[in-house]
Amino acid sequence: MSKIINIGFLDIRDIKEDLAAEISQIENIGVLIESEESQIFLKNCEKMNIGISIKLPKDMQTIVQSEDIKLDRDYLEGISEPVAVLVSGSITFEDNIDSSLVNEKIYSMIVAGEIIVPKRIVAVVQSKSIIDGQFLIYKNGYTLFDDTIKMSNQFLNSLKPNSKLAFNELLVMEDIDLALFEEKISNIQVLTKLVITADNESKLSQYIDEYYLIDKTVIPKGSKYMDNNIYIDATSIKKYKDNILFVDGEVEIYLKDDIKIDEYIKFLICKKIICGSRDLPKIEKILGHDDIEIEIVEGKPIRNNGKMILSGDLEHMEEEISIRNSGKLVLEKNLNYEKFNEKVVSIINNGLIIVPEEKIGIVKSKIIENRGSIKSLEENKEKLKEDEENILYANMGELKL
Amino acid sequence: MFIRYIDESINRERDSMNIYTVYQKYNKDFIAYAKSITRNKDKAFDIVQEAYVSALEREEIFINMNEYQIKGWFFRVIKNKHIDNIRKLNKILLYENDEIIGIDGSFEEEVAINDLIEKLPEKNKEVVLLRYKMHLNSKEIGEKLGIPSSTVRSRLSASMKILKNNL
């Protein structure tokens, strides 16, 4: 008897009885598509961790996409029979589609991602959809930009007068010519996020629909805007030239003694600073306001956002370090744990640490914050071996049997 | 060399994105989605973090997935973790004819109820699962199964009676 495990889309509508008889377990399936017949053939099969299970007629066509797709009138009119649409990604409906067309052409939709629709067809799309993700609605008659757009005078010049625009995400950081804006724009709708300078806000907010409800970030004029957490050290600091730096996240700073941060960054505004006590006096001089959270972590930071393996003697590790793990950190059996214990001051774990069973205590003693998981090497190997047994199909995006 | 950085993307011909890079790229989208379903900023961060750790623990399942499939996996798992959290509060909400019947039960009762659902007649089981697991209403269930919504409600009603009698 065999297993089918870890499949994104699994279509078993046409499964043959003799193959079905071989299958004892179906596990970790994103979307399971069944028929009356397959349900009978697999009635004794154990089904575990099925994200979405849907029964479709055997002859129903499916559109399966693992990418972002856009549907417009032409696309739907080209479909001859109703289809089931299965998408990993985002699906965007253009404004030229009406409810009757959706109703006629789409049997059902299963989406892991986003559905972006004009308001006139919300009801019919929702009635046909199962979505793991966001449902974003833009107003009828608006032209949709479903990416992140940086508004500029050049962008405005390209528009027709009195345009109504919907943006998934909009950045308004350049100086906008108000007369040009008023000529080209009638209304703006922002679906997810707006980043705008304070002086643009005072000029333009009246043109942005439901401005008070939008998720917005207002930044000082002339700021360099960074959307994610950043790390500043002696090398990366050189790209900031007398900036006002606005970071929509955390800033981790580790500088050599001879670096004067205020020679590169005039003001720093962010949610949180992570630094050593040695760097704190320098950093405090440039903080843009008093509400910034400060976390002191001693030791040179070693950051892992991917997969990192520590092994051997650590002969090049001279100074004390602090490990910030946001990925998968594997500590091998041949690692010099005595030196590890001596040199590693702290560990902040937001990922997965795998360590030999007998050394887990050493690792845990270094943990100052753990929002991840710590597992033994042996447990991890056993799990992988277990999964390898009796596998018929595994680890695939899409499979039709 | 005592530190090895494994760049998964070098080894993958199909796609340059892996769970680490997808998580970094779409982290804010995941949090926004989690906030929309949990209505709580702290819980949202927690379940996104749990989803990420789950991904790290099962890295092998993503070997043949592209960026969008990995992203889709995260959205599904975030939703499932939210549902799991609700279950862990030991409250079971059962719908009968659009009325909510709340039962405060122990973990053992919850397991027992799941076992009972599995033993329901197939026609009853499928409506209960669509209602309980996928949170569809009677009309949606009817459309999925090709039966009138009144039939859905009567099957749900019959199922609830069976479950209550056997609890």
Side-chain angles (χ1 to χ4, degrees), chain A residues 54-227:
Chain A
I54 184 168
K55 196 157 72 175
L56 294 178
K58 280 179 86 169
D59 57 351
M60 169 139 307
Q61 297 292 319
T62 55
I63 295 173
V64 180
Q65 294 281 347
S66 293
E67 59 181 357
D68 296 343
I69 65 168
K70 279 190 184 174
L71 301 186
D72 60 13
R73 186 164 200 92
D74 289 341
Y75 185 99
L76 289 180
E77 283 177 348
I79 297 171
S80 51
E81 298 287 331
V83 295
V85 180
L86 303 109
V87 172
S88 285
S90 71
I91 179 166
T92 302
F93 287 81
E94 297 279 319
D95 191 44
N96 60 3
I97 297 172
D98 56 59
S99 303
S100 57
L101 192 58
V102 174
N103 206 31
E104 182 191 333
K105 301 293 185 179
I106 295 180
Y107 178 82
S108 72
M109 283 203 312
I110 298 175
V111 177
E114 287 162 343
I115 300 178
I116 306 174
V117 298
K119 198 170 178 185
R120 79 167 64 80
I121 61 168
V122 164
V124 68
V125 171
Q126 277 183 332
S127 71
K128 289 177 181 285
S129 306
I130 300 170
I131 175 171
D132 290 334
Q134 291 183 293
F135 204 95
L136 300 173
I137 303 165
Y138 67 97
K139 294 184 176 182
N140 301 333
Y142 281 50
T143 303
L144 174 68
F145 293 85
D146 58 2
D147 268 329
T148 300
I149 298 292
K150 283 186 183 176
M151 183 168 284
S152 64
N153 293 321
Q154 287 92 327
F155 174 80
L156 291 172
N157 272 322
S158 68
L159 300 173
K160 290 179 183 169
N162 296 315
S163 297
K164 292 184 179 180
L165 308 178
F167 298 97
N168 195 354
E169 197 171 308
L170 178 63
L171 310 180
V172 190
M173 296 191 293
E174 293 183 24
D175 252 333
I176 298 296
D177 179 339
L178 183 58
L180 178 63
F181 183 93
E182 286 177 336
E183 179 200 335
K184 297 289 187 173
I185 303 277
S186 164
N187 290 83
I188 286 178
Q189 181 192 4
V190 178
L191 301 185
T192 55
K193 187 169 175 179
L194 171 69
V195 180
I196 188 167
T197 58
D199 61 325
N200 278 328
E201 183 189 33
S202 58
K203 286 189 290 189
L204 307 179
S205 57
Q206 60 179 311
Y207 299 99
I208 301 175
D209 298 342
E210 284 97 36
Y211 185 75
Y212 48 94
L213 290 176
I214 296 170
D215 177 11
K216 55 188 169 290
T217 302
V218 182
I219 65 175
K221 184 178 173 178
S223 302
K224 186 178 175 75
Y225 175 74
M226 309 291 285
D227 192 28

Side-chain angles (χ1 to χ4, degrees), chain A residues 243-261:
Chain A
N243 282 145
I244 300 170
L245 187 58
F246 190 105
V247 179
D248 198 357
E250 297 177 354
V251 180
E252 188 170 352
I253 303 176
Y254 182 82
L255 301 171
K256 292 182 180 167
D257 285 334
D258 57 342
I259 300 282
K260 290 180 185 165
I261 193 169

Side-chain angles (χ1 to χ4, degrees), chain A residues 6-9 28-31 39 49-55 66-68 87-90 107-108 110-114 126-134 193 225 227-228 248-249 271 302-317 326-328 332 349-352 371-373 375 380 383-384 387 394-398, chain B residues 1-8 14 18-21 23-37 41-50 52-80 83-84 118 122 125-126 130 133-134 136 139-140 143-146:
Chain A
N6 308 333
I7 311 290
F9 289 121
N28 300 337
I29 310 296
V31 178
Q39 285 188 332
N49 287 341
I50 310 295
I52 293 168
S53 175
I54 184 168
K55 196 157 72 175
S66 293
E67 59 181 357
D68 296 343
V87 172
S88 285
S90 71
Y107 178 82
S108 72
I110 298 175
V111 177
E114 287 162 343
Q126 277 183 332
S127 71
K128 289 177 181 285
S129 306
I130 300 170
I131 175 171
D132 290 334
Q134 291 183 293
K193 187 169 175 179
Y225 175 74
D227 192 28
N228 281 310
D248 198 357
K271 291 181 179 163
I302 300 285
R303 292 155 60 244
N304 174 42
N305 292 327
K307 189 172 178 180
M308 179 193 283
I309 299 174
L310 293 184
S311 62
D313 275 334
L314 311 178
E315 64 266 16
H316 299 295
M317 193 189 281
S326 297
K328 188 172 182 177
E332 293 200 324
N349 181 35
N350 292 313
L352 174 64
R371 301 186 69 221
S373 178
K375 285 194 169 341
N380 194 58
K383 168 102 183 34
L384 287 173
D387 281 347
N395 306 335
M396 299 166 89
E398 297 135 28
Chain B
M1 181 72 74
F2 68 93
I3 297 174
R4 280 186 285 145
Y5 292 90
I6 307 293
D7 183 352
E8 295 291 328
R14 188 176 166 166
N18 51 47
I19 50 169
Y20 311 104
T21 48
Y23 181 71
Q24 298 294 328
K25 182 175 177 182
Y26 295 107
N27 179 256
K28 293 203 170 176
D29 292 343
F30 299 148
I31 290 171
Y33 173 55
K35 276 185 194 168
S36 72
I37 56 174
K41 187 178 161 186
D42 291 330
K43 281 181 189 164
F45 277 101
D46 284 346
I47 60 171
V48 170
Q49 179 66 23
E50 283 172 31
Y52 179 52
V53 173
S54 292
L56 294 174
E57 288 174 343
R58 298 152 72 189
E59 197 182 359
E60 65 282 359
I61 73 175
F62 301 98
I63 289 171
N64 290 314
M65 286 194 194
N66 67 22
E67 173 185 345
Y68 300 97
Q69 288 163 339
I70 296 172
K71 182 183 169 188
W73 185 95
F74 270 101
F75 278 119
R76 280 196 202 100
V77 169
I78 287 165
K79 179 175 136 182
N80 289 340
I83 293 171
D84 286 345
E118 283 299 313
E122 197 57 38
K125 178 177 150 187
E126 61 188 1
L130 285 170
K133 269 197 128 178
M134 293 172 65
L136 301 183
K139 184 171 180 291
E140 288 164 337
E143 282 168 2
K144 286 269 179 285
L145 300 179

